[in-house]
Each structure stands twice: as structure tokens, then as C-alpha cells.
Amino acid sequence: MKQYGFHFDATRCTGCKTCVVACCDKNGLEDGRQFRHVLAYENGGWRQDRMTGAWHQDVTHGYVSVSCNHCDDPACVKVCPTKAHAKHDDKGGLVLIDPAKCIGCGMCAKACPYGAPVLDEKAHKMTKCDACVDRVVKGELPVCVAACPQRALDFGYVDDLKAKYGEGAHIEPLPSPAMTKPNLLVTHGKSAKVVK
């Protein structure tokens, strides 16, 4: 099976959140419900030179745009009591929610280390990024990727993304990839702290 995934380039992201706005607009999401998040991170600190008393810093910061990573070992699928969450091999390995089966219990949200599933309070159903599967089947990119003004996001088959961008890395503030084996490749800048 060919697996879909996202690529994120931390050297290009300015934290503008255009990806978040485009996703919310396309999916008609109300305030407080987002399928994509832009997280800020900081590294480094200050130190004082013992000889001169001067202060030096190596503080850096950056952003990470993250949504559902359509993981190879999705925590949401494992804990869903009604099997509403499923990994679809026929749709490029996307992890999708069947609203007819979902009871809105929130177990998936508690299990997901990326905070991807969110409750639709009106429908009492869990919702999350579906990689704009309606667009992907027509050969279009997910709306977050298409909207990014800095081209910090890309989407495609993981093997193709690796050929284009390399193996990638996982960076803070993201959890260790060993938890769920996410299909997210990250190009990191020197300000990022790489997670092993």
C-alpha cells in the first residue's frame, strides 16, 4: 500500500496560520475547533561570562504546523470502542472517522499525542483532519498545503516525499515518533531540537 503523508519545512514557516484559517474555512469549523495547529517552540538560554560578567544568549524559536499525521500505528484507532476510527488502505492509508459509528466519547482525543481529534459539540461526534480526501481523490492538494504562502507544507505519498525532501526528522514540541509512527516528514532548521 502506498501511504499518504505530510511534509513540513520548519525553515520556511513564519507562524502565519494561513493553513489553520484555510482548513477552518473549508471545513466550516466554529471558533475553538481546529484540525490543524501551529505550535511555537523555543530553545536555548542565557549564560553569564564569569570573567567579564557579560551575558550571552543562544535563544532560538520557530513554529510547527501539525494536524492528523495518519499514523502507521494510530492511537485513535486502537482505543475507539465503536471502530469509528479506521486506517483506509484503499485511500492511501488515511485515518478517517465514520460519523455513523462515532458516539463522541472522546477516547481518541485522549489517546492521540498530536491532539488531532476534536469534538463537534453540535453533532456530538469526533472530527479531525481527513487530509481533504475529497480534494485528494480529484488530484488536488489538501487546502492547508495549497494555502501556505511560504510553501512550508507539502502532501503526497511518503515515498515520493522522502525522495524529494529526504528522510526528515521529528522535532520538539512534537512527541517521539515511536509512539504512533506518524506519516510526517520534517525539514528542520538549526533552531529546532530534534526528537530521537
Side-chain angles (χ1 to χ4, degrees), residues 7-108:
H7 171 259
F8 171 71
D9 187 340
T11 67
R12 291 178 164 267
C13 183
T14 63
C16 72
K17 300 185 182 179
T18 302
C19 55
V20 175
V21 173
C23 175
C24 289
D25 185 53
K26 186 232 181 235
N27 292 292
L29 303 180
E30 66 278 2
D31 285 346
R33 187 162 60 113
Q34 298 175 344
F35 295 164
R36 181 165 282 282
H37 307 275
V38 175
L39 308 173
Y41 65 86
E42 298 172 355
N43 290 312
W46 290 85
R47 63 178 175 75
Q48 188 173 23
D49 186 302
R50 290 182 186 184
M51 299 292 287
T52 66
W55 286 90
H56 304 279
Q57 59 89 13
D58 62 355
V59 176
T60 59
H61 76 282
Y63 303 95
V64 181
S65 178
V66 67
S67 67
C68 176
N69 295 310
H70 304 281
C71 302
D72 285 342
D73 189 19
C76 59
V77 171
K78 290 179 179 179
V79 300
C80 182
T82 63
K83 306 298 181 215
H85 285 260
K87 190 161 179 70
H88 293 265
D89 292 345
D90 62 328
K91 293 186 175 114
L94 296 179
V95 177
L96 305 174
I97 301 173
D98 181 346
K101 292 180 180 178
C102 180
I103 58 173
C105 69
M107 293 294 292
C108 54

